[in-house]
Amino acid sequence: MKIYENYPLKDLTTFHINAIAKHYVEFTTVDELKEILSSPPVKGNKFIILGGGSNVLFSGDYNGFVLCNKITGIETVSATGENIFIKFGAGEKWHDVVMYCVNHNYGGIENLSLIPGTVGAGPIQNIGAYGVELKDVLTEVSALDVKTLEIRKISNAECKFGYRESIFKSSEKGAYIILSVTIRLTKDPQKVNVTYGSLRKEIETMGITSPTIKDVSDTVIKIRTSKLPDPLKIGNAGSFFKNPAIPDSSFTKLKSEYPGIVSFPSADGMTKLAAGWLIEQCGWKGKRFGDAGVHIEQALVLVNYGNATGKEIYNLSERIIESVNGKFGVRLEREVNII
Ligand code: FAD
Ligand code: EPU
């Protein structure tokens, strides 16, 4: 176990914020992780787990241990005529796993192509895009209980997944370190999901009548690269806020005042609003304050043009929340984890 002191985090998060970790350690196996957690310098000190750093904002230096997950591995657990169940190590890069499946013609996660970060962070917020969420295919999470250092198998139902939610973000926050994720994939190359509006439209425009797993993956990659900033060029963590859901009755009122409001049907008498639209209507899109800004193409994405501090990005997010609440009476919630 090698512990680094005063470790720069700038290139370990996609926001590329200039923050320092008091201590930094990487782990590649479960045994190594257990050793780290039970060793005197870490025990009793505060720590956080870092994957690819694509959904975190360091609001300042971190005065504890940053433990970076590098556990890899791909293992077929079982197979039936229709499905194959594969367990992926939590430190595997999510997009590499998607490409592995696409190249083997295993379907189910192609809509989640190009999402940055690691497999282990996927269940934390139940990653989702283009009509699919991780909860649709995840069968089991294997996780280390931080207190007992025992490994627990957690089923899909026990994860209590919701839109950008799970027990790992709420009731069990900080209680587990995810070690691996098992996913159910289909062996039928024609079984794809193109129900999401912009995906279906793009597939039609390309003249594809019977899309394959690879067609869907390629199209999702095409759409994503056209509207989301590349973190290697401009620091960002994807959508900074969640799309808010409001009661249908409140939506009817808002719609009469703002007929152009962008919305999607949601569960149980609720309507989901496009937070990007709300933010754009408040005039934030493309705004820049020093090196902190709101992306010019996608108002839901806050960006670091170079040397913005975590505080500056955070303060900008506060101003956006206040202004959207002031105009629409809707309070945005952050998707990004503030540390
Ligand atoms: P990190 O940022 O390292 O960590 C995120 C949180 O998970 C932290 O609280 C961390 O402590 C915790 N964590 C990480 N690993 C573990 C573990 N093994 N065990 C326990 N806790 C852990 N997200 C979507 O859902 N859909 C999208 O379409 C999408 N698009 C994006 C596009 C861009 C350009 C970017 C930059 C981000 C996007 N994201 C999207 C957000 C992000 O990619 C995902 O949330 C991703 O799962 C984060 O993975 P990570 O490894 O980088 O997590
Ligand atoms: N819109 C605007 N102005 C903007 C941005 C968006 O008016 O500046 C409106 C447009 O009408 C657009 C609609 O909002 O049609 C939806 O925009 P988009 O399709 O880009 O999706 P999103 O709601 O902004 C969500 C996820 C993304 C995910 C895409 C595709 C959340 C918070 N974000 O974005 O996830 O990739 O859908 O499924 O749910 C992430 O979580 O980090 C992320 C990027």
Side-chain angles (χ1 to χ4, degrees):
M1 160 171 86
K2 172 133 180 64
I3 302 180
Y4 297 87
E5 308 298 329
N6 299 320
Y7 199 82
L9 296 170
K10 189 170 171 78
D11 292 329
L12 297 186
T13 76
T14 56
F15 249 125
H16 299 293
I17 296 292
N18 234 331
I20 302 285
K22 183 130 195 257
H23 314 280
Y24 174 81
V25 193
E26 290 181 356
F27 57 93
T28 53
T29 64
V30 180
D31 286 343
E32 227 179 319
L33 174 60
K34 283 187 185 172
E35 189 198 331
I36 291 168
L37 291 177
S38 48
S39 69
V42 184
K43 220 173 164 182
N45 228 310
K46 69 170 186 173
F47 69 85
I48 54 148
I49 303 296
L50 195 64
S54 62
N55 209 20
V56 290
L57 175 72
F58 281 93
S59 56
D61 291 341
Y62 188 72
N63 190 21
F65 282 80
V66 170
L67 309 182
C68 194
N69 178 13
K70 302 279 178 191
I71 299 176
T72 54
I74 299 181
E75 182 196 333
T76 299
V77 178
S78 62
T80 63
E82 266 175 55
N83 294 113
I84 180 160
F85 297 79
I86 308 183
K87 182 158 98 175
F88 297 100
E92 290 284 349
K93 290 204 174 92
W94 175 259
H95 181 65
D96 291 353
V97 158
V98 175
M99 287 299 103
Y100 173 89
C101 293
V102 169
N103 292 335
H104 283 79
N105 240 344
Y106 298 149
I109 54 174
E110 57 281 359
N111 299 53
L112 304 178
S113 295
L114 216 62
I115 296 182
T118 55
V119 165
I124 308 289
Q125 72 157 10
N126 177 28
I127 50 170
Y130 298 95
V132 170
E133 289 182 334
L134 185 58
K135 74 166 171 54
D136 303 332
V137 291
L138 178 148
T139 57
E140 190 177 84
V141 166
S142 164
L144 189 75
D145 183 317
V146 164
K147 276 205 187 109
T148 63
L149 296 193
E150 274 163 19
I151 296 175
R152 250 203 76 188
K153 307 279 179 214
I154 304 171
S155 70
N156 182 311
E158 287 171 319
C159 291
K160 296 202 177 118
F161 289 124
Y163 164 65
R164 298 295 189 269
E165 271 305 336
S166 73
I167 53 163
F168 308 109
K169 270 188 97 173
S170 54
S171 59
E172 301 297 328
K173 193 170 175 179
Y176 294 104
I177 297 172
I178 294 178
L179 306 172
S180 68
V181 175
T182 304
I183 295 178
R184 183 189 58 247
L185 297 144
T186 166
K187 293 193 211 161
D188 179 352
Q190 296 301 325
K191 207 170 175 183
V192 293
N193 174 349
V194 289
T195 49
Y196 193 89
S198 57
L199 174 59
R200 195 182 53 243
K201 244 187 244 154
E202 187 62 35
I203 295 244
E204 279 168 11
T205 308
M206 283 157 53
I208 301 169
T209 48
S210 190
T212 62
I213 292 166
K214 181 149 191 339
D215 290 332
V216 173
S217 172
D218 287 346
T219 311
V220 166
I221 290 172
K222 188 175 169 202
I223 300 173
R224 292 182 68 99
T225 36
S226 74
K227 54 168 126 172
L228 285 168
D230 177 355
L232 289 175
K233 296 186 185 134
I234 306 177
N236 75 92
S239 302
F240 199 91
F241 305 97
K242 297 183 197 177
N243 285 325
I246 60 168
D248 290 343
S249 51
S250 316
F251 174 68
T252 309
K253 275 191 218 140
L254 266 185
K255 176 98 180 155
S256 67
E257 208 178 329
Y258 303 100
I261 193 165
V262 179
S263 66
F264 318 93
S266 185
D268 302 334
M270 305 288 278
T271 301
K272 206 186 255 187
L273 305 178
W277 186 88
L278 299 173
I279 297 168
E280 181 174 350
Q281 296 303 305
C282 291
W284 292 102
K285 195 169 181 172
K287 282 271 152 60
R288 180 173 174 168
F289 308 89
D291 273 356
V294 179
H295 189 50
I296 190 115
E297 311 271 357
Q298 228 300 0
L300 201 43
V301 178
L302 301 193
V303 291
N304 170 17
Y305 285 104
N307 288 310
T309 63
K311 268 255 144 46
E312 284 167 343
I313 302 278
Y314 183 83
N315 290 343
L316 175 57
S317 76
E318 280 286 295
R319 290 171 63 198
I320 292 172
I321 290 172
E322 289 315 322
S323 115
V324 168
N325 194 30
K327 188 170 169 80
F328 297 104
V330 175
R331 199 153 189 95
L332 296 181
E333 263 181 56
R334 294 178 185 87
E335 177 191 299
V336 171
N337 300 280
I338 312 295
I339 293 168

